[in-house]
């Protein structure tokens, strides 16, 4: 009996064009669109020189050290820039500098009066780089001057060289990745969304055993098979097909588009299967709890899946970080976020404690959804029996 139900449930689902589109074709189409939109981010963009101006007055000409350092990292003609060039600089008067800043032709201008000062129109990355450069340069300038005063106006070449070096004291303990790719979470969240779209299949599966949902359910309820057994056989059949679909999407994103998931293939497979069963069990739970027709349930699980995907950062990583900062518990209860984070942790981190924590939460969700579904079905079955007895007694 189990094998026959298993077989025919798969054949039935293969003829459901709407579900196949949303489960398989929509995530693939979305990943193609994301690839086109994020192509520049994935390949990386070259650093552009920052346009600035320097007030060329007597104070600037007296700044021997600062003037020399600034000339080392800047050019006056953009065509002469190389990989070591930070700024394209114009040496102008105050009035012209104000005009250039107001029209947006420069990101800021520097003037010297007992030290260097930066004037900007608005805050941004370029302005932060200029300010950081000036701060570091002023610090080194003060060190040079102090050492000159303490050494009667002379500094050894070895000491000058050591002061010029920049040393890093942060140890890279990543998982062998050269740098973080900011586009990866977007594609990981697409796979997480596809896993949750399995909920629509879960709703369809439950409609086959709820007597008030479809003619098929009425015939199934007449069969000498318990609803729990019907539910488990349907769950197994739909689970196999949903997992195959998720693996097809994964292969498309990783092999065709070229998104790297790392080399922990066993755990990547475990994440995909767990995510798929989470979505499927959620669909069964919604199908059991919500007392509406199939279309309403389908729209509901789709809307919830999209909301969870949005909160997981599929449209903007900023949303995810805001939620994590202010209402962090929502991210821990968001299955799409848990799936997305799991792929990310497998790719970047050696320590997998947080990954296993995510898997435990997802498994807990599967158990909760299935147990809740079983309880609701049992309650509905008992209600039908009680109503039948009352009708017989009447």
């Amino acid at each position: 009996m189990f094998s026959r139900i298993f077989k025919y449930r798969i054949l039935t689902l293969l003829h459901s064009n709407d579900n196949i589109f949303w489960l398989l074709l929509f995530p693939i189409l979305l990943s193609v669109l994301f690839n086109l939109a994020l192509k520049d981010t994935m390949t990386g963009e070259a650093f552009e020189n920052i346009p600035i101006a320097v007030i060329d007055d007597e104070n600037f000409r007296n700044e021997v050290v600062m003037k020399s350092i600034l000339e080392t990292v800047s050019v006056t003609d953009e065509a002469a820039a190389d990989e070591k060039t930070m700024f394209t600089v114009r040496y102008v008067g105050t009035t012209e500098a104000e005009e250039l800043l107001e029209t947006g032709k420069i990101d800021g201008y520097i003037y010297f009066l007992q030290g260097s000062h930066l004037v900007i129109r608005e805050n941004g990355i370029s302005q932060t780089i200029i300010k950081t450069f000036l701060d570091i340069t002023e610090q080194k300038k003060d060190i040079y001057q102090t050492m000159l005063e303490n050494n009667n106006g002379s500094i050894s070449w070895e000491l000058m060289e050591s002061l010029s070096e920049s040393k890093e004291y942060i140890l890279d303990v990543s998982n062998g990745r050269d740098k973080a790719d900011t586009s990866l979470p977007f594609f990981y969240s697409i796979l997480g969304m596809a896993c949750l779209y399995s909920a629509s299949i879960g709703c369809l599966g439950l409609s086959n055993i709820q007597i008030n949902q479809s003619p098929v359910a009425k015939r199934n309820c007449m069969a000498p098979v318990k609803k729990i057994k019907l539910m488990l056989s349907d769950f197994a059949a739909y689970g196999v097909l949903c997992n195959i679909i998720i693996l097809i999407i994964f292969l498309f994103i990783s092999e065709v588009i070229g998104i790297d998931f790392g080399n922990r293939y066993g755990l990547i497979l475990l994440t995909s299967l767990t995510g798929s069963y989470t979505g499927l069990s959620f669909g069964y739970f919604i199908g059991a709890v919500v007392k509406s027709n199939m279309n309403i349930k389908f729209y509901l699980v789709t809307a919830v899946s999209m909301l969870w995907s949005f909160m997981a950062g599929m449209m903007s990583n900023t949303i995810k970080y805001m939620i994590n900062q202010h209402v962090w518990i929502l991210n821990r209860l968001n299955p799409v976020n848990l799936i997305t984070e799991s792929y990310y942790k497998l790719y970047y981190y050696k320590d997998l404690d947080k990954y296993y924590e995510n898997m435990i939460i997802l498994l807990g969700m599967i158990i909760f959804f299935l147990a809740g579904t079983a309880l609701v079905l049992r309650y509905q079955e008992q209600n039908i029996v009680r109503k039948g007895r009352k009708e017989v007694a009447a």
Side-chain angles (χ1 to χ4, degrees):
M1 178 64 73
F2 183 92
S3 60
R4 286 178 62 84
I5 297 172
F6 182 92
K7 172 185 174 182
Y8 286 108
R9 287 294 181 265
I10 289 182
L11 292 176
T12 301
L13 186 57
L14 288 174
H15 288 85
S16 177
N17 295 329
D18 290 345
N19 286 299
I20 294 298
F21 171 79
W22 286 107
L23 255 72
L24 178 61
L25 299 182
F26 179 69
I28 287 177
L29 177 62
L30 195 61
S31 63
V32 171
L33 295 176
F34 270 41
N35 182 47
L36 294 174
L38 300 172
K39 189 177 293 184
D40 291 338
T41 305
M42 294 163 63
T43 55
E45 296 179 354
F47 174 78
E48 295 183 358
N49 301 324
I50 301 172
I52 64 171
V54 174
I55 305 301
D56 190 6
D57 56 9
E58 187 177 352
N59 291 325
F60 172 64
R61 288 187 283 273
N62 291 334
E63 287 281 346
V64 179
V65 177
M66 288 292 291
K67 183 180 178 182
S68 176
I69 294 174
L70 189 61
E71 289 175 350
T72 303
V73 297
S74 64
V75 294
T76 54
D77 183 7
E78 191 172 354
D82 56 26
E83 65 275 4
K84 294 182 180 180
T85 305
M86 291 182 63
F87 308 114
T88 302
V89 63
R90 304 186 189 192
Y91 299 98
V92 297
T94 305
T95 303
E96 187 178 351
E98 288 286 353
E99 291 176 355
L100 291 171
L101 185 63
E102 189 66 26
T103 56
K105 294 181 179 179
I106 59 173
D107 292 328
Y109 69 83
I110 304 169
Y111 71 92
F112 294 88
L113 181 62
Q114 296 180 346
S116 60
H117 304 275
L118 174 64
V119 178
I120 60 176
R121 186 181 178 186
E122 59 184 11
N123 289 319
I125 296 175
S126 297
Q127 289 78 5
T128 302
I129 293 174
I130 302 170
K131 184 65 170 63
T132 303
F133 167 78
L134 291 177
D135 290 342
I136 294 174
T137 307
E138 284 287 352
Q139 291 173 7
K140 290 194 173 185
K141 171 190 168 185
D142 292 340
I143 294 173
Y144 289 141
Q145 290 179 339
T146 302
M147 295 190 69
L148 283 170
E149 293 174 359
N150 295 336
N151 290 276
N152 298 322
S154 63
I155 306 177
S156 65
W157 173 253
E158 291 80 7
L159 191 55
M160 283 284 293
E161 194 174 40
S162 66
L163 288 173
S164 301
E165 292 179 354
S166 296
K167 296 183 179 180
E168 294 184 1
Y169 296 93
I170 299 175
L171 179 64
D172 182 6
V173 292
S174 67
N175 196 29
R177 312 300 173 193
D178 294 333
K179 59 180 180 178
D181 188 342
T182 55
S183 69
L184 293 182
F186 292 99
F187 291 95
Y188 294 168
S189 63
I190 290 176
L191 204 53
M193 179 199 69
C195 289
L196 262 293
Y197 271 0
S198 301
S200 62
I201 303 300
C203 286
L204 178 63
L206 200 72
S207 70
N208 290 328
I209 56 177
Q210 283 185 305
I211 194 169
N212 62 339
Q213 291 294 315
S214 66
V216 174
K218 293 177 182 178
R219 292 195 296 269
N220 286 334
C221 288
M222 295 298 293
V225 182
K226 291 184 177 181
K227 280 189 176 182
I228 298 300
K229 187 173 183 179
L230 283 172
M231 186 189 81
L232 291 177
S233 59
D234 284 3
F235 186 81
Y238 292 147
V240 168
L241 195 55
C242 288
N243 287 330
I244 292 174
I245 290 173
I246 294 301
L247 291 178
I248 292 173
I249 297 170
F250 166 76
L251 290 173
F252 180 85
I253 293 176
S254 61
E255 301 301 325
V256 178
I257 294 182
I259 301 302
D260 193 359
F261 284 80
N263 54 9
R264 290 166 166 162
Y265 303 112
L267 294 178
I268 292 170
L269 179 62
L270 174 64
T271 305
S272 302
L273 299 184
T274 304
S276 178
Y277 278 118
T278 303
L280 191 61
S281 60
F282 172 66
Y284 269 85
F285 182 73
I286 292 297
V289 172
V290 177
K291 296 180 180 180
S292 298
N293 60 46
M294 185 59 193
N295 287 334
I296 298 298
K297 294 178 181 180
F298 177 76
Y299 294 143
L300 178 61
V301 296
T302 302
V304 172
S305 299
M306 288 302 298
L307 177 61
W308 275 338
S309 301
F310 173 74
M311 293 169 61
M314 190 171 74
M315 290 75 174
S316 172
N317 280 329
T318 306
I319 300 298
K320 174 180 176 177
Y321 296 136
M322 286 177 59
I323 294 173
N324 205 39
Q325 184 176 6
H326 300 290
V327 201
W328 63 270
I329 190 66
L330 291 180
N331 276 343
R332 304 309 295 158
L333 297 176
N334 180 353
V336 178
N337 180 65
L338 293 172
I339 296 167
T340 302
E341 272 196 357
S342 297
Y343 286 124
Y344 196 79
K345 292 182 187 303
L346 287 176
Y347 182 75
Y348 276 111
Y349 295 100
K350 291 182 178 180
D351 184 5
L352 296 181
D353 289 346
K354 287 292 184 181
Y355 167 79
Y356 290 121
E357 180 183 313
N358 290 349
M359 290 295 101
I360 291 171
I361 295 174
L362 288 173
L363 289 173
M365 288 180 177
I366 295 172
I367 294 171
F368 172 80
F369 291 141
L370 290 180
T373 303
L375 289 174
V376 172
L377 289 178
R378 184 178 179 184
Y379 175 77
Q380 291 174 350
E381 201 170 46
Q382 289 174 347
N383 271 349
I384 292 172
V385 172
R386 281 195 294 267
K387 287 180 181 179
R389 287 173 180 174
K390 286 181 180 179
E391 290 176 0
V392 170

